[in-house]
Amino acid sequence: MMRYLWALLPLSLCGQNLIYQDFSAGQALDSLWQGDLQNFEFRDSALALNDSVAGQSTLYHSSEVMTAARWDFHGRLDFNPSSSNYLKIQVMLNQVPPDSSLFSYYLKLGGNSQDQIQFYRQEPDGDQLLAASAADFLDLNTVQYHISLRRNADLLWELYADTGEFEQWYLQASFIDSIHTYSQGISLTCHYTKTRSTKFYFDSLRIEGVAYPDSIAPELLSWSLMGDSTLHLNFSEKLAPPQLSAFEISSGIQLDALDWQAENPQDLMLHFKDPLPPNQPILLRMENLSDLFGNHYSDSLNLLYRQVLAGELRINEIMADPSPKVDLNPNSFPEVEFIELINVSQLAIPMDQVELHIGGRSYSCPPFWLQPDSFLVLSAANTAVYWPAQIPVLGLNWSSSALTNDGNRIALYNSDAIEIESLHYSSDWYQDALKAEGGWSLERKDAFSDCHTIWNWQASKDPSGASPGRRNSIADVYHDSLKAEALALKIPSPFEIQIDFNRSLHELSPWQIEPPILIDSLALSGEAKSHHIYLYQALDEGLLYRVFCEEGLVDCRNQIYQPDSLKVGLALKPQPGQVRISEVLFNPYPNGKDFVEIRNIGPGFLDLADLRLAVWNPELQEVVDVKVLSQEHRLIAADSCLVMATEAEALQAFYQVRETNFQVVAELPSMPDEGLELVLMRSDLEILDHILLSEESHAPYLSSGEGVSLYRLDFQQNALRSDQWQSSPATLGYATPGWYFDSKRNLSKVQWQAHPDYLSPNGDGYHDYLELHYNLAQDAWIQIHIYDRQGNLQKELIAGDQASATGFVVWQGEDDRGQLCAAGVYLAFLEYRFADGEMGRARCSFVLSH
């Protein structure tokens, strides 16, 4: 700032300085000269160097001359200057004695191959050449030099020089430079070999100008935190050496040390003894910091050590497949992959503390502060120039095809390698087959929800195909009614228990095991859907363990899920008769899939990895097409079932599948629509169960068995007999994959009757309606339907709903169209399913008359 004021102040306000020495007239050195005085003498009407060995000798003098200034030097060099023999004249030294690390401007006579007078600005990190005379200006056997260096009030430098007998000043160069604004002295330094150690002569010098009286205090230009323990301060001008006592900090933080270097006096490094707490404002007071002229700076500074926390930065939009572009307007956004982020915190986020991971690769973000409630697009570095100026974009060094079309894992981490957010997007999230072909982005519905499911993501509805840099077209509050359930228990080894859930769940407290067994560690995988419990000691064979979590688990909606106690144990080697094929679909609907359900009828756990499924070839009298059902060690508990198919979606499209009892398998044996013989075996190929199914196994009243499963009636009977299999009824949706249905076993669990046993809905007020009463063993999910004697559905009273253990419904004799049914005998069917998966049905009959 001072350099701009010099030209405005009249010279009368500034002190005039003069240093004059005429050595040719025999004038002795004044008492202010210091340095290597012993190496100089008066000789031949001049001040001359007088040394006997190679080296350098310096004389220096205090001088505050800075502006409206003139430095004149006359003398001679009795040699042709070279790189080893030259004269250096420093003006505006910021400190005496001179040092190579200090600031100054200086003239150099010789010392270069061009034989020039050169003018430099000296800096601790390197010298800058500002001007020079013509080449070969000093290419003389004896150089008699006359130099006048001038600097006016407008900070214009002019270099004049002449050689030989002085005639006049010849302008060599002019330029403006105002970097250095302080002076303490001048110096004359001779650099010489032994043969030139007496060849430097000084005839006279005159230095005249203004020592500017600086009265302006320094200003703090910028500050930055370097980690959590160091503060860098940068000021507008050089500071006098500061003291640690000039600083005071709040919140109990203690200061440890202060770094100030003379070669860089505009910068301070303040070190804290205690790390600054993240994201908490801290007040720093600074008192009486002084510049070189004694002007003081005092102020306060609000510091904030910013650490990006989990959940503060969200992935808001993903363009994985940009082609073909929907909006052909070139000014919309380019046809490139991108990820959009949104800051959902209350503080700005420094993006250079964020690292992006795509798949197995990581990418660092350049410096950028993302403000609260603002969007930022990440794109490949070579595509950043194509984005419109109104959309903030950071270019990262990722591949232009890093975002694979079918899906990939994306994660954000802070500078401490703590995960901010992660997801694994999928092409299923588009929920639109046409948009999934390209040109449309995936948008997030609710950026404040931690859930990454198909319910919170969808293809963009924006006419442009995407909405980078603005609110998403599908933005809304996230709603998710999916109930958390444990899908599978696995024992990968005797030292590990794995629990798979249908949604992401995080521990609030450690899992516990009874009987007590020491837990070594816990881990999450698969987006926190799989919980791994590692044990110090192996599970005991034959012992049943209860695994539970008293404080529950939290899902992405921050809802607490308290799982029921889970029973686990080491699997036993399955024996014949212990595991049975319980339900089979071999003639699926078009676009449907076959399935096979098995049931562990006990005792103990079985491991799906121990089982094989094959087809029996009656001609060869051997098994063929043997399939391994699982590479994972999934447990099947006693008295539970497991249904297997190659696709979950193909079953869920037609049937109500119990997800907790479902297993996707890579392949099932070939199952022709007309029927087959299936064999269930151990891994050593010992046969555990053998069944025979055909189209004739279905109920005779069915015109076709397409889409209808066959379920087993009695697990103790020979399943090669056709009378041991029955078509799943329409009232149960023609299949019960993963549900426990045993009509014989469940008859005792229900009371179901009509009251009265007939009705005559003729409007006379007598028996115009019928009450159907049920009494179940516990609350259940129920369906109630009315059929005529020919099996035709007449009325759906309850399509499927949760009900209390006892209750009744009323029927007034009408069908689903609201028409009165014909007189005759009718059947009322009650179908129910308990919470443990057991299913059943009951029926009663009554008469309708007019």
Side-chain angles (χ1 to χ4, degrees):
M1 183 175 294
M2 294 180 296
R3 56 178 177 268
Y4 300 110
L5 295 177
W6 288 340
L8 303 178
L9 293 177
L11 293 183
S12 59
L13 298 180
C14 308
Q16 191 77 16
N17 287 263
L18 175 65
I19 303 173
Y20 176 68
Q21 295 273 197
D22 186 0
F23 304 121
S24 62
Q27 183 180 9
L29 287 169
D30 68 43
S31 60
L32 296 179
W33 285 99
Q34 299 182 65
D36 301 313
L37 298 174
Q38 71 278 5
N39 292 339
F40 291 88
E41 66 178 9
F42 284 92
R43 185 175 69 243
D44 299 334
S45 301
L47 179 67
L49 177 67
N50 184 30
D51 202 357
S52 59
V53 294
Q56 66 181 49
S57 296
T58 299
L59 296 175
Y60 59 90
H61 192 288
S62 61
S63 170
E64 297 180 352
V65 171
M66 291 189 301
T67 188
R70 177 170 175 168
W71 296 265
D72 291 350
F73 303 95
H74 300 270
R76 76 178 186 275
L77 306 174
D78 278 354
F79 54 87
N80 191 318
S82 66
S83 59
S84 301
N85 296 278
Y86 62 90
L87 175 63
K88 181 178 179 180
I89 303 174
Q90 287 180 291
V91 299
M92 286 182 61
L93 271 168
N94 77 321
Q95 185 176 324
V96 290
D99 184 274
S100 61
S101 65
L102 300 180
F103 300 92
S104 75
Y105 294 102
Y106 67 84
L107 292 162
K108 191 175 181 183
L109 282 65
N112 57 81
S113 59
Q114 289 81 19
D115 289 318
Q116 295 173 302
I117 300 175
Q118 294 180 332
F119 184 69
Y120 287 86
R121 182 178 67 241
Q122 179 175 317
E123 304 277 0
D125 56 353
D127 297 353
Q128 179 69 41
L129 178 64
L130 300 179
S133 67
D136 300 325
F137 188 77
L138 300 178
D139 189 13
L140 301 168
N141 291 331
T142 297
V143 178
Q144 190 166 345
Y145 62 84
H146 309 277
I147 297 174
S148 180
L149 180 66
R150 305 170 189 181
R151 191 189 198 197
N152 67 18
D154 295 324
L155 309 181
L156 173 68
W157 292 87
E158 293 177 312
L159 173 61
Y160 295 87
D162 190 15
T163 56
E165 294 296 328
F166 177 63
E167 297 179 359
Q168 66 181 47
W169 295 117
Y170 295 98
L171 180 65
Q172 304 296 316
S174 63
F175 53 93
I176 292 178
D177 188 272
S178 58
I179 297 299
H180 298 328
T181 59
Y182 179 69
S183 178
Q184 283 280 323
I186 63 165
S187 71
L188 309 172
T189 302
C190 306
H191 294 259
Y192 47 86
T193 59
K194 182 177 181 181
T195 58
R196 301 290 188 263
S197 61
T198 61
K199 305 295 185 178
F200 291 77
Y201 294 88
F202 301 95
D203 292 338
S204 67
L205 61 87
R206 182 183 180 94
I207 300 169
E208 185 175 10
V210 174
Y212 180 74
D214 180 9
S215 61
I216 300 175
E219 297 179 4
L220 179 64
L221 297 181
S222 65
W223 65 271
S224 60
L225 282 166
M226 305 172 67
D228 60 359
S229 299
T230 301
L231 172 65
H232 173 223
L233 300 169
N234 175 250
F235 289 87
S236 60
E237 59 178 298
K238 305 174 181 68
L239 300 181
Q243 301 296 320
L244 192 61
S245 58
F247 298 90
E248 181 182 345
I249 193 165
S250 65
S251 301
I253 306 297
Q254 296 185 27
L255 299 174
D256 186 39
L258 176 68
D259 282 344
W260 175 87
Q261 303 295 331
E263 62 268 20
N264 199 21
Q266 292 173 259
D267 292 291
L268 297 178
M269 302 290 284
L270 196 60
H271 302 280
F272 307 119
K273 188 173 185 180
D274 306 304
L276 296 178
N279 306 322
Q280 177 181 327
I282 302 294
L283 182 64
L284 176 70
R285 294 184 178 87
M286 297 171 281
E287 296 290 339
N288 294 327
L289 292 174
S290 176
D291 64 12
L292 299 177
F293 298 94
N295 300 303
H296 296 292
Y297 170 82
S298 299
D299 204 352
S300 296
L301 184 63
N302 287 311
L303 304 178
L304 180 70
Y305 169 56
R306 188 69 171 100
Q307 184 181 56
V308 188
L309 303 178
E312 290 190 324
L313 184 63
R314 299 297 177 90
I315 300 164
N316 196 52
E317 188 172 3
I318 303 167
M319 177 63 87
D321 187 2
S323 302
K325 194 171 187 290
V326 175
D327 186 354
L328 299 182
N329 179 1
N331 296 321
S332 58
F333 53 85
E335 189 175 337
V336 298
E337 294 182 358
F338 69 82
I339 297 171
E340 181 195 68
L341 307 179
I342 181 173
N343 179 0
V344 296
S345 75
Q346 301 299 312
L347 299 171
I349 290 177
M351 290 303 300
D352 55 359
Q353 290 188 21
V354 176
E355 189 172 75
L356 172 70
H357 288 220
I358 304 177
R361 298 194 174 185
S362 60
Y363 308 92
S364 298
C365 295
F368 181 86
W369 282 89
L370 180 59
Q371 299 303 313
D373 196 30
S374 298
F375 302 99
L376 175 66
V377 170
L378 305 181
S379 185
N382 60 355
T383 69
V385 295
Y386 302 117
W387 284 85
Q390 68 271 19
I391 300 178
V393 177
L394 288 185
L396 274 61
N397 293 320
W398 77 31
S399 164
S400 58
S401 58
L403 298 173
T404 50
N405 296 349
D406 293 334
N408 209 337
R409 182 177 185 271
I410 304 176
L412 302 171
Y413 291 87
N414 67 12
S415 54
D416 294 325
I418 297 173
E419 183 180 289
I420 303 170
E421 180 169 65
S422 69
L423 59 86
H424 196 295
Y425 69 92
S426 165
S427 58
D428 295 337
W429 286 5
Y430 287 98
Q431 303 178 62
D432 187 314
L434 183 61
K435 290 184 177 180
E437 292 300 316
W440 298 83
S441 71
L442 282 170
E443 291 185 350
R444 187 172 184 161
K445 180 180 294 184
D446 188 350
F448 290 90
S449 169
D450 293 322
C451 296
H452 294 296
T453 67
I454 199 169
W455 293 283
N456 203 23
W457 287 85
Q458 189 177 340
S460 175
K461 294 182 179 180
D462 193 285
S464 300
S467 57
R470 62 183 188 273
R471 178 181 168 87
N472 285 349
S473 62
I474 68 164
D476 199 355
V477 177
Y478 172 81
H479 296 289
D480 175 7
S481 59
L482 181 64
K483 180 182 177 182
E485 289 188 276
L487 297 182
L489 288 168
K490 299 173 182 177
I491 306 292
S493 79
F495 293 90
E496 180 185 354
I497 299 171
Q498 179 178 334
I499 308 169
D500 291 345
F501 292 92
N502 63 336
R503 67 179 309 136
S504 300
L505 293 170
H506 303 271
E507 295 104 335
L508 287 179
S509 64
W511 287 93
Q512 300 177 56
I513 302 176
E514 288 183 355
I517 186 169
L518 196 57
I519 295 176
D520 178 27
S521 60
L522 302 170
L524 301 175
S525 68
E527 300 179 35
K529 291 182 179 179
S530 293
H531 290 220
H532 302 263
I533 305 172
Y534 297 98
L535 310 173
Y536 270 114
Q537 60 195 79
L539 298 170
D540 288 335
E541 187 173 347
L543 191 59
L544 184 67
Y545 294 89
R546 185 172 73 94
V547 181
F548 59 98
C549 187
E550 287 187 346
E551 294 187 23
L553 309 170
V554 62
D555 66 11
C556 62
R557 301 165 299 180
N558 290 321
Q559 294 185 351
I560 306 299
Y561 166 61
Q562 183 66 59
D564 296 330
S565 294
L566 303 171
K567 295 178 181 179
V568 297
L570 290 179
L572 303 174
K573 185 176 183 180
Q575 300 300 319
Q578 183 182 357
V579 58
R580 297 296 197 187
I581 300 172
S582 55
E583 187 175 357
V584 179
L585 176 67
F586 57 86
N587 183 10
Y589 292 118
N591 300 320
K593 291 293 181 181
D594 300 326
F595 73 76
V596 177
E597 181 187 86
I598 60 176
R599 177 169 293 282
N600 178 6
I601 59 177
F605 290 93
L606 298 180
D607 190 340
L608 185 60
D610 287 341
L611 302 178
R612 307 288 184 267
L613 197 60
V615 173
W616 179 261
N617 187 317
E619 295 180 359
L620 299 176
Q621 289 293 297
E622 62 182 30
V623 294
V624 295
D625 198 15
V626 179
K627 301 300 181 186
V628 176
L629 297 177
S630 176
Q631 299 291 341
E632 293 184 307
H633 297 275
R634 175 167 184 172
L635 294 180
I636 309 173
D639 201 26
S640 66
C641 66
L642 186 70
V643 63
M644 296 165 289
T646 56
E647 290 183 24
E649 295 81 2
L651 255 61
Q652 293 166 344
F654 300 103
Y655 311 109
Q656 185 175 4
V657 181
R658 190 175 190 190
E659 193 177 6
T660 54
N661 291 343
F662 180 79
Q663 174 73 34
V664 174
V665 295
E667 195 174 6
L668 288 174
S670 176
M671 299 170 65
D673 292 348
E674 51 277 6
L676 74 163
E677 280 189 69
L678 278 178
V679 175
L680 186 64
M681 303 181 297
R682 278 199 316 242
S683 56
D684 60 4
L685 304 186
E686 180 171 349
I687 294 176
L688 303 173
D689 196 19
H690 189 170
I691 68 170
L692 173 62
L693 300 173
S694 70
E695 190 69 17
E696 286 71 29
S697 303
H698 280 293
Y701 60 82
L702 289 176
S703 60
S704 170
E706 184 180 79
V708 181
S709 73
L710 289 166
Y711 68 89
R712 193 170 187 160
L713 295 175
D714 193 336
F715 293 125
Q716 305 305 323
Q717 298 296 322
N718 183 355
L720 294 172
R721 290 168 45 187
S722 60
D723 63 355
Q724 290 302 307
W725 294 90
Q726 184 168 314
S727 302
S728 294
T731 54
L732 295 179
Y734 293 114
T736 61
W739 297 99
Y740 184 16
F741 177 68
D742 185 347
S743 58
K744 291 183 178 180
R745 175 176 169 181
N746 289 327
L747 284 176
S748 62
K749 294 196 174 185
V750 62
Q751 293 178 5
W752 174 240
Q753 62 182 6
H755 180 75
D757 56 4
Y758 73 95
L759 76 161
S760 58
N762 53 16
D764 62 1
Y766 181 73
H767 290 186
D768 285 336
Y769 61 90
L770 189 76
E771 292 181 358
L772 294 163
H773 290 257
Y774 61 86
N775 188 350
L776 303 172
Q778 55 183 286
D779 293 350
W781 180 89
I782 66 172
Q783 289 180 316
I784 297 177
H785 298 84
I786 306 297
Y787 290 84
D788 62 20
R789 289 188 67 182
Q790 288 73 40
N792 299 311
L793 177 64
Q794 298 298 312
K795 181 69 174 178
E796 183 178 64
L797 295 178
I798 296 180
D801 200 0
Q802 192 70 26
S804 59
T806 61
F808 70 92
V809 295
V810 174
W811 186 49
Q812 295 177 331
E814 78 282 358
D815 61 16
D816 278 333
R817 297 172 299 172
Q819 302 294 323
L820 190 63
C821 292
V825 177
Y826 287 83
L827 303 175
F829 280 85
L830 167 69
E831 297 154 23
Y832 58 91
R833 182 171 66 239
F834 295 136
D836 62 1
E838 293 189 12
M839 302 175 67
R841 65 175 178 166
R843 73 177 186 176
C844 63
S845 61
F846 51 88
V847 176
L848 185 151
S849 65
H850 293 299

